[in-house]
């Protein structure tokens, strides 16, 4: 007997069913809609107006002098956005690599990429609070109001780590009346998803919103050695908000969140070619547990002239344990090390961080020609990083998992432990002046200072001792400061209401940091360039011109941008097998240049078409090894193409409707290391969704990676390939109610 009803549906049946239903529904709906064009013309004659807040002021998407892709609640529900990968796959010139463990995901925007153990390449802001740990990004998205992706350095607005851009996520605010939503889903994992949210007034001057998400799946990628899926996942996430309207001038916003995730890590195979498709064959299923929790208090005080003060105090905590197979990720008897030395190995990593942050700023009224913002930000962070390898005898992992094993059945091979303290502060100012109805200028200036120190907790016996290199000392504290001015200047020209042109210059900054104690010696003995005890901060200087347009008579809006970026100290990743560490080196100078455009059209009532294209040409201009000069920078897809179509077919005189949606993404050739040793072929992905919508409920049949494209999400230097998810399909039921 099959484990799930979905197993009755073959791959070909699913594909043909969705396509046939879509063609039939579209043809029928088109004939029906032609009869109603006259009645509905007035409702579709205006281009949709989307308001964005990513520039720290609320303004229309088409007027914002920055390249930004926005996803409203309509887009989030229509596309079934539930994870970060879902909206990034719809954004030109932005890519995401999901790999290794729950908290490991790398965002690349316009060639500015992210690596293991580096600072983020984008600033991620949720309800005004900036994430302080890159491991927080990979979370379930539920009860979300809007997502904005700003491209290009946003250091003047958001400071350090906004070097590639910013992702601004707004969750739903408390409602004026009691309401709620329940969402239930099943998929072919088999997997089960449940989400619930309730909101309403709690009294005369306060309101609340509570939401939660539960996701449980057996997985989608088989471990052919263990005979079970390699990627099971269980996630429980909760979020709560309470807003206290003290009076007409003062508002206090309390928010809290919690997330507990369990999955399995290190499902690698070893291959020299990124286009080689192999299933995991680890003998250790592995452990990957991650906990996230925190909260914030935002206080807003509005003055008589409309200007307002904002204070945001936040605390964030993350803990992640990872234990699994080690190189070469094969069963003990098949492993290279076992056949060479008579034993195999496993690995354990612990990551953790806790931070307090405080921001205070003043925002002037929007009613004046001259508008301004000024403020200050401070954050205090403590991070733990532990990595170690043990002899794998097939008995799993002995306690303790956060220190050195004394079990003779699971003896320790190597171990490194470092505690990193970071105190960072910044002050900033933004100003905008409208010369007239056509010309305006926006300026930002921010200074960020990072004071970092690294405490070596590794026992002396485990610190690498390589002849010719300095030997680290247990208890040693190393300090390093990084600081940067980040200006941004943008001129905007609006000759007519339907067209906005902008151009300017900006500087982004990503803080440097420390590699684990002794890694520089291990890398040096192996002849690897660029690995030091610390890695330098990265700066990106960008010139950009762009434009946004609307064609109201044709229900069309769109935008384009051209950019050129000079990057100094671009980070790249190096894995050192000898001590199981993930390390960062830097490319002293690289150049990134390209363009992008997007267009959104409603040519017929109910029919929405979306297209976007991005191109980036990356080149290493300076490096210690001359053979790498002229090559592409790692983890950059040269092109991205996004096409989408959504058609709404009204039924029963508007009482219900059918919504048909297709989303296509093409990722161009992707290089993964500085030596261009292997390049992934272009990837074509197709998502489909058919939704029946009634007055207060809906039922959706959906598929992601509909054609079941087999490809690798990542190739890491050293030959580590990580397989991407195959086709996933399912049903989702949503019910909206009032209480």
């Amino acid at each position: 007997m099959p484990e799930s009803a979905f197993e009755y549906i073959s791959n070909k049946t699913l594909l043909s069913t969705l396509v046939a239903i879509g063609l039939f529904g579209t043809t029928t709906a088109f004939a029906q809609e032609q009869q109603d064009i006259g009645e509905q013309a007035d409702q579709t004659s205006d281009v949709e107006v989307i308001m964005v807040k990513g520039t720290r002021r609320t303004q229309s998407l088409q007027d914002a002098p920055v390249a930004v892709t926005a996803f409203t609640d309509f887009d989030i529900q229509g596309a079934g956005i539930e994870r970060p990968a879902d909206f990034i796959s719809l954004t030109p010139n932005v890519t995401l690599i999901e790999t290794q463990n729950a908290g490991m995901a790398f965002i690349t925007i316009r060639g500015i990429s992210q690596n293991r153990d580096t600072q983020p390449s984008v600033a991620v802001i949720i309800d005004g609070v900036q994430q302080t740990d890159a491991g927080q990004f990979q979370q379930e998205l539920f009860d979300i109001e809007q997502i904005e992706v700003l491209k290009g350095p946003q250091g003047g607005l958001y400071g350090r780590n906004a070097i590639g851009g910013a992702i601004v996520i707004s969750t739903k605010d408390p409602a004026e009346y009691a309401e709620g939503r329940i969402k239930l889903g099943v998929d072919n994992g088999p997997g089960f998803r449940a989400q619930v949210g309730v909101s309403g007034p709690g009294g005369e001057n306060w309101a609340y919103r509570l939401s939660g998400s539960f996701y449980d799946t057996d997985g989608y990628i088989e471990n052919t050695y263990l005979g079970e899926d390699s990627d099971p996942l269980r996630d429980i996430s909760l979020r709560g908000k309470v807003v206290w309207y003290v009076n007409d001038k003062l508002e206090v916003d309390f928010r809290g969140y919690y997330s507990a995730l369990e999955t399995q890590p290190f499902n690698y195979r070893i291959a020299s070619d990124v286009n080689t498709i192999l299933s995991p064959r680890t003998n250790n299923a592995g452990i990957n547990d991650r906990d996230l929790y925190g909260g914030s208090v935002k206080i807003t005080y509005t003055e008589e002239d409309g200007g307002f003060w904002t204070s945001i105090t936040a605390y964030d905590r993350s803990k992640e344990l990872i234990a699994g197979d080690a190189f070469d990720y094969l069963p003990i008897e098949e492993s290279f090390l076992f056949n060479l030395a008579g034993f195999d190995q496993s690995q354990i990593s612990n990551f953790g961080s806790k931070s307090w942050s405080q921001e205070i700023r003043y925002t002037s009224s929007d009613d004046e020609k001259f508008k301004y913002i000024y403020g200050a930000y401070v954050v205090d962070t403590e991070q733990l990083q532990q990595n170690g390898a043990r002899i794998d005898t097939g008995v799993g992992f002995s306690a303790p998992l956060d220190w050195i094993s004394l079990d003779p059945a699971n003896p320790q091979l190597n171990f490194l432990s470092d505690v990193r303290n970071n105190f960072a502060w910044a002050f900033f100012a933004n100003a905008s002046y409208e010369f007239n109805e056509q010309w305006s200028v926006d300026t930002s200036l921010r200074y960020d200072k990072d004071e970092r120190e690294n405490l070596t907790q590794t026992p002396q016996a485990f610190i690498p001792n390589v002849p010719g290199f300095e030997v680290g000392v247990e208890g040693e504290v190393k300090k390093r400061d990084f600081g940067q001015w980040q200006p941004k200047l943008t001129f905007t020209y609006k000759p007519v209401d339907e067209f906005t042109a902008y151009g300017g210059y900006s500087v982004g900054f990503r803080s440097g940091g420390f590699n684990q104690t002794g890694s520089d010696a291990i890398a040096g003995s192996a002849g690897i360039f660029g690995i030091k005890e610390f890695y330098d901060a990265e700066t990106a200087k960008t010139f950009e011109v762009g434009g946004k347009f609307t064609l109201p008579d044709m229900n069309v809006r769109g935008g384009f941008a051209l950019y050129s970026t000079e990057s100094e100290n671009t980070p790249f990743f190096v894995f050192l097998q000898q001590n199981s560490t993930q390390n960062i080196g830097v490319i002293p100078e690289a150049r990134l240049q390209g363009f992008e455009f997007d267009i959104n059209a409603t040519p017929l009532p109910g029919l929405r078409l979306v297209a976007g294209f991005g191109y980036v040409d990356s080149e290493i201009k300076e490096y210690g090894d001359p053979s790498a000069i002229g090559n592409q920078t790692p983890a950059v897809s040269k092109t991205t193409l996004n096409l989408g179509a959504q058609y709404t077919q009204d039924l029963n005189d508007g009482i219900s409707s059918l919504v048909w949606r297709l989303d296509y993404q093409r990722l161009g050739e992707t290089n993964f290391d500085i030596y261009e040793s292997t390049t992934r072929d272009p990837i074509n992905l197709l998502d489909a969704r058919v939704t029946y919508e009634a007055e207060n409920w809906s039922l959706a049949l959906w598929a992601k990676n509909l054609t079941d494209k087999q490809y690798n999400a990542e190739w890491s230097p050293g030959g580590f390939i990580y397989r991407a998810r195959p086709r996933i399909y399912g049903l989702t039921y949503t019910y909206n109610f009032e209480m």
Side-chain angles (χ1 to χ4, degrees):
M1 292 292 292
E3 296 179 357
S4 167
F6 288 100
E7 295 182 8
Y8 283 113
I9 306 176
S10 69
N11 292 344
K12 291 184 179 180
T13 302
L14 175 69
L15 176 61
S16 60
T17 299
L18 283 169
V19 172
I21 291 175
L23 290 174
F24 174 77
T26 301
T27 304
T28 305
F30 180 82
Q32 176 180 333
E33 293 296 342
Q34 292 307 299
Q35 300 176 10
D36 301 327
I37 286 179
E39 298 176 6
Q40 300 182 16
D42 292 341
Q43 302 174 15
T44 60
S45 59
D46 295 326
V47 176
E48 179 186 13
V49 177
I50 297 175
M51 305 304 292
V52 295
K53 298 181 287 187
T55 59
R56 291 192 183 269
R57 286 188 178 275
T58 302
Q59 59 190 145
S60 75
L61 173 67
Q62 295 305 108
D63 290 339
V66 62
V68 55
T69 301
F71 301 92
T72 64
D73 182 57
F74 175 83
D75 301 312
I76 293 168
Q77 300 306 318
I81 294 175
E82 295 174 328
R83 306 167 65 241
D86 295 335
F87 71 82
I88 287 178
S89 68
L90 302 173
T91 308
N93 252 347
V94 183
T95 59
L96 180 72
I97 295 174
E98 298 176 288
T99 184
Q100 182 174 310
N101 58 283
M104 199 70 70
F106 312 137
I107 306 171
T108 299
I109 296 185
R110 293 180 173 179
I112 300 291
S113 60
Q114 182 179 345
N115 294 275
R116 293 164 176 82
D117 296 341
T118 62
Q119 300 300 304
S121 57
V122 299
V124 180
I125 300 94
I126 301 178
D127 291 334
V129 179
Q130 187 165 336
Q131 290 185 346
T132 57
D133 185 342
Q136 296 173 276
F137 179 65
Q138 279 287 79
Q139 297 185 46
E140 293 294 305
L141 297 173
F142 59 98
D143 212 29
I144 303 297
E145 181 66 29
Q146 186 156 303
I147 302 168
E148 302 169 26
V149 183
L150 285 71
K151 288 172 273 190
Q154 304 300 323
L157 292 172
Y158 296 108
R160 64 191 190 123
N161 306 335
I163 188 168
I167 296 175
V168 181
I169 299 175
S170 301
T171 64
K172 290 183 178 294
D173 285 324
E176 296 180 355
Y177 56 90
E179 64 169 15
R181 172 184 289 177
I182 296 174
K183 181 182 289 187
L184 303 173
V186 292
D187 65 39
N188 61 307
F192 174 75
R193 185 187 300 273
Q195 296 178 1
V196 61
V198 294
S199 180
E204 184 177 347
N205 60 349
W206 66 280
Y208 69 92
R209 189 169 200 100
L210 303 174
S211 55
S213 171
F214 174 77
Y215 179 42
D216 189 0
T217 179
D218 287 354
Y220 311 96
I221 302 172
E222 183 183 7
N223 182 319
T224 55
Y225 179 78
L226 295 177
E228 61 187 34
D229 287 330
S230 63
D231 57 336
L233 187 147
R234 173 174 290 188
D235 180 273
I236 300 174
S237 298
L238 303 171
R239 186 187 304 122
K241 302 183 186 182
V242 174
V243 181
W244 178 24
Y245 307 99
V246 182
N247 52 47
D248 59 352
K249 293 183 179 180
L250 182 61
E251 179 181 304
V252 184
D253 187 332
F254 303 91
R255 306 185 183 218
Y257 69 90
Y258 170 78
S259 173
L261 182 148
E262 298 175 4
T263 184
Q264 295 175 5
F266 299 129
N267 292 306
Y268 286 114
R269 291 294 301 272
I270 304 301
S272 59
D273 182 5
V274 65
N275 299 296
T276 301
I277 309 300
L278 299 171
S279 296
R281 283 184 54 76
T282 59
N283 62 278
N284 279 309
I287 304 167
N288 186 180
D289 296 342
R290 186 191 69 178
D291 292 328
L292 304 173
Y293 55 90
S296 65
V297 179
K298 181 170 72 172
I299 303 173
T300 305
Y301 178 77
T302 304
E303 297 185 335
E304 295 291 345
D305 62 358
F308 58 93
W309 289 92
T310 304
S311 169
I312 301 176
T313 306
Y315 174 78
D316 293 283
R317 184 76 167 96
S318 68
K319 297 185 292 183
E320 186 166 5
L321 166 67
I322 315 166
D325 251 6
F327 184 89
D328 54 357
Y329 304 99
L330 288 174
I332 296 175
E333 296 79 6
E334 299 177 27
S335 70
F336 171 81
L337 189 60
F338 179 83
N339 286 280
L340 178 68
F343 64 88
D344 194 13
Q345 63 179 358
S346 59
Q347 59 182 313
I348 299 178
S349 296
N350 277 283
F351 303 100
S353 73
K354 55 184 177 181
S355 67
W356 284 98
S357 63
Q358 173 67 53
E359 179 176 342
I360 186 167
R361 66 177 182 268
Y362 178 77
T363 306
S364 69
S365 171
D366 280 338
D367 296 334
E368 303 296 330
K369 284 190 173 184
F370 178 65
K371 300 181 266 293
Y372 57 91
I373 302 172
Y374 60 85
Y377 174 79
V378 62
V379 60
D380 187 25
T381 305
E382 180 180 303
Q383 294 179 318
L384 169 70
Q385 181 172 352
Q386 293 179 335
N387 289 291
R390 299 179 178 183
I391 290 179
D392 182 7
T393 59
V395 299
F397 302 95
S398 302
L401 299 182
D402 59 350
W403 200 245
I404 298 167
S405 172
L406 300 178
D407 185 349
N410 192 207
Q412 199 82 29
L413 289 171
N414 54 60
F415 178 78
L416 293 177
S417 180
D418 293 270
V419 174
R420 294 159 180 172
N421 291 289
N422 167 222
F423 181 76
W425 54 269
F427 56 85
F428 55 88
N430 316 119
S432 175
Y433 182 72
E434 299 176 9
F435 296 102
N436 50 46
E437 293 183 355
Q438 294 181 323
W439 285 96
S440 63
V441 61
D442 293 271
T443 62
S444 301
L445 183 62
R446 176 165 173 147
Y447 181 77
D448 276 74
K449 182 67 174 288
D450 268 14
E451 301 170 2
R452 294 180 175 266
E453 64 177 41
N454 188 92
L455 167 63
T456 301
Q457 284 190 331
T458 308
Q460 195 66 43
F462 283 94
I463 295 178
N465 187 347
V466 179
F469 290 88
E470 182 180 352
V471 180
V473 178
E474 180 182 359
E476 180 180 11
V477 176
K478 298 179 180 179
K479 296 183 179 182
R480 195 79 181 165
D481 292 349
F482 305 95
Q484 181 71 42
W485 287 97
Q486 298 165 90
K488 183 174 184 178
L489 176 65
T490 305
F491 288 96
T492 304
Y493 176 58
K494 192 169 185 176
V496 293
D497 289 341
E498 293 80 15
F499 181 72
T500 301
Y502 65 90
Y505 172 78
S506 59
V507 174
F509 162 66
R510 171 161 44 183
S511 185
F514 291 91
N515 285 311
Q516 290 211 260
T517 301
S519 294
D520 54 334
I522 294 293
S525 65
I528 298 173
F529 288 90
I531 302 300
K532 301 186 294 183
E533 64 180 6
F534 64 88
Y535 53 92
D536 291 319
E538 180 186 12
T539 58
K541 302 174 182 178
T542 298
F543 288 94
E544 178 176 348
V545 294
K548 300 180 179 182
F549 60 88
T550 57
L551 303 173
D553 293 340
M554 302 174 63
N555 294 329
V556 172
R557 61 176 169 85
F560 62 89
L562 297 89
Y563 60 90
S564 178
T565 298
E566 296 294 332
S567 172
E568 296 180 1
N569 299 323
T570 300
F572 68 90
F573 168 72
V574 173
F575 174 74
L576 297 178
Q577 178 189 343
Q578 296 91 328
N579 57 356
S580 297
T581 58
Q582 302 168 150
N583 302 277
I584 301 301
V586 297
I587 300 168
E589 183 179 344
R591 183 181 64 194
L592 310 162
Q593 50 191 2
F595 64 90
E596 65 209 15
F597 72 84
D598 63 87
I599 191 167
N600 190 310
T602 308
L604 295 171
L607 177 62
R608 184 182 184 188
L609 304 176
V610 178
F613 180 79
Y615 171 81
V616 56
D617 178 32
S618 64
E619 182 181 0
I620 297 173
K621 305 294 289 184
E622 181 183 339
Y623 187 62
D625 183 354
S627 66
I629 295 176
N631 289 349
Q632 300 174 73
T633 57
V636 178
S637 298
K638 265 196 168 184
T639 59
T640 59
L641 174 64
N642 304 87
L643 300 174
Q646 181 169 312
Y647 188 75
T648 302
Q649 173 190 357
D650 283 337
L651 304 174
N652 304 324
D653 295 327
I655 297 175
S656 59
S657 61
L658 278 176
V659 181
W660 317 87
R661 184 179 178 110
L662 289 174
D663 287 294
Y664 166 79
Q665 180 192 29
R666 178 180 173 87
L667 298 172
E669 288 188 349
T670 305
N671 167 60
F672 286 94
D673 75 327
I674 59 176
Y675 292 105
E676 296 187 352
S677 56
T678 182
T679 300
R680 189 179 64 189
D681 294 336
I683 304 297
N684 298 288
L685 301 172
L686 183 66
D687 295 347
R689 194 175 188 90
V690 181
T691 306
Y692 177 82
E693 295 184 346
E695 184 176 1
N696 61 349
W697 64 273
S698 66
L699 182 65
L701 169 66
W702 53 268
K704 297 180 180 180
N705 190 6
L706 178 63
T707 59
D708 200 22
K709 174 65 178 178
Q710 305 294 306
Y711 68 102
N712 291 314
E714 182 196 26
W715 183 93
S716 180
F720 302 80
I721 55 174
Y722 197 88
R723 191 166 182 173
R725 282 181 163 185
R727 171 172 50 233
I728 303 175
Y729 54 92
L731 287 169
T732 300
Y733 171 79
T734 304
Y735 177 67
N736 299 292
F737 59 91
E738 296 182 5
M739 297 180 290

